[in-house]
Amino acid sequence: MHNLKTLGDHADPESESTPVLDITTAEAMALLFKALSDPTRVRIIAALVEGERCVYDLAATLGMTHSAISHQLQLLRDLRVVRYRKVGRHVFYALDDAHIQGLFLQGLEHARHA
Amino acid sequence: MHNLKTLGDHADPESESTPVLDITTAEAMALLFKALSDPTRVRIIAALVEGERCVYDLAATLGMTHSAISHQLQLLRDLRVVRYRKVGRHVFYALDDAHIQGLFLQGLEHARHA
DNA sequence: CTAATATATGAGTAATTACTCATATATTAG
DNA sequence: CTAATATATGAGTAATTACTCATATATTAG
């Protein structure tokens, strides 16, 4: 199904010099998964899967302070997992792409029966 | 495609008492993603996607100490992401289920063009 | 038996993290 | 204008983490 050859060329299995996955890509992947590695962020993303939410609503829904939510949103923003849109004094956040939702749903499915 | 209603019942949108995703499930998901939220663990999993590996080979491939790899493998074992099998004085690790590989590949695809 | 090898693990530590608290900024209401 | 509201953000902190180093255990070689 998937062509794993793209993970790294193992033409010479004796050579230790060919890493399985280059470190830069591994770091990028780790950052992506870090977005989903905290319960608060998972819950924020769960809320955003249903649609745009402002900070106020997210804080109310999760029962957390606006500050805590805002800090986590900054992190998610830095990781390019969410985008935002200002409307008056509200800032509406949304998932940045379908990949995130796909990972979220796949993780949810795993967690449901594990 | 996906029925998002299963994320939580929003029959009464006014009620803040219905969380989007229950905290226990969010925590389970966060733990799963935590397995992939560190570059070393991503690289270990990348190696295991290609097949069983013993600690010695993983350490050599990643260019890290056996101790560091062993500690990370213990964490991955606790998270039920890998299983192991003893053969003589070697311990061979492998991915525990296809879900992990699916998440890994999806994350890789995201990282490749982001 | 002893020596070498592969792995596991506890203690220690520097770096990271997920908050709280205080304060700043921007928008709207009056 | 002032007051209220929504959000952002820096500093501080307790908890977590990803290692290193030392040591323990188990297996194989001789």
Side-chain angles (χ1 to χ4, degrees), chain A:
Chain A
M1 305 197 175
H2 277 281
N3 182 1
L4 296 183
K5 293 247 178 64
T6 58
L7 287 177
D9 198 357
H10 271 210
D12 177 14
E14 231 57 44
S15 156
E16 314 280 27
S17 63
T18 308
V20 180
L21 180 72
D22 68 282
I23 296 185
T24 305
T25 304
E27 282 170 347
M29 287 177 68
L31 283 178
L32 172 65
F33 287 114
K34 187 178 279 186
L36 287 147
S37 70
D38 171 82
T40 299
R41 291 195 294 274
V42 167
R43 296 206 297 153
I44 288 174
I45 290 167
L48 296 183
V49 163
E50 300 189 352
E52 263 189 349
R53 292 286 186 274
C54 69
V55 180
Y56 188 87
D57 286 346
L58 287 171
T61 302
L62 304 200
M64 298 185 67
T65 62
H66 302 137
S67 184
I69 298 297
S70 199
H71 276 294
Q72 292 291 9
L73 286 169
Q74 182 175 50
L75 197 156
L76 292 175
R77 233 161 50 214
D78 290 347
L79 294 175
R80 307 215 173 263
V81 163
V82 299
R83 55 187 159 72
Y84 64 99
R85 178 170 80 89
K86 289 191 178 183
V87 177
R89 51 190 158 182
H90 289 266
V91 178
F92 287 92
Y93 283 82
L95 296 184
D96 194 33
D97 68 19
H99 268 106
I100 307 300
Q101 184 166 324
L103 285 175
F104 172 85
L105 292 173
Q106 207 166 325
L108 177 62
E109 202 178 322
H110 179 97
R112 284 251 192 262
H113 53 270

Side-chain angles (χ1 to χ4, degrees), chain B residues 21-66:
Chain B
L21 180 71
D22 68 283
I23 297 185
T24 305
T25 304
E27 282 169 347
M29 289 177 67
L31 283 178
L32 172 64
F33 288 114
K34 186 178 280 184
L36 288 148
S37 70
D38 171 82
T40 301
R41 289 194 294 271
V42 167
R43 295 206 296 150
I44 288 174
I45 290 166
L48 296 183
V49 163
E50 300 187 352
E52 264 189 349
R53 292 286 186 274
C54 68
V55 179
Y56 188 87
D57 286 345
L58 287 171
T61 303
L62 305 199
M64 297 185 67
T65 62
H66 302 137

Side-chain angles (χ1 to χ4, degrees), chain B residues 84-105:
Chain B
Y84 64 99
R85 179 169 80 88
K86 290 191 177 182
V87 177
R89 50 191 159 184
H90 290 267
V91 178
F92 288 93
Y93 282 83
L95 296 183
D96 193 34
D97 68 19
H99 268 106
I100 306 300
Q101 183 164 325
L103 284 174
F104 173 85
L105 292 172

Side-chain angles (χ1 to χ4, degrees), chain B residues 66-85:
Chain B
H66 302 137
S67 183
I69 298 297
S70 199
H71 275 294
Q72 292 291 10
L73 286 169
Q74 182 176 50
L75 197 156
L76 292 175
R77 234 160 51 213
D78 289 348
L79 294 175
R80 307 215 172 262
V81 163
V82 299
R83 55 186 158 74
Y84 64 99
R85 179 169 80 88

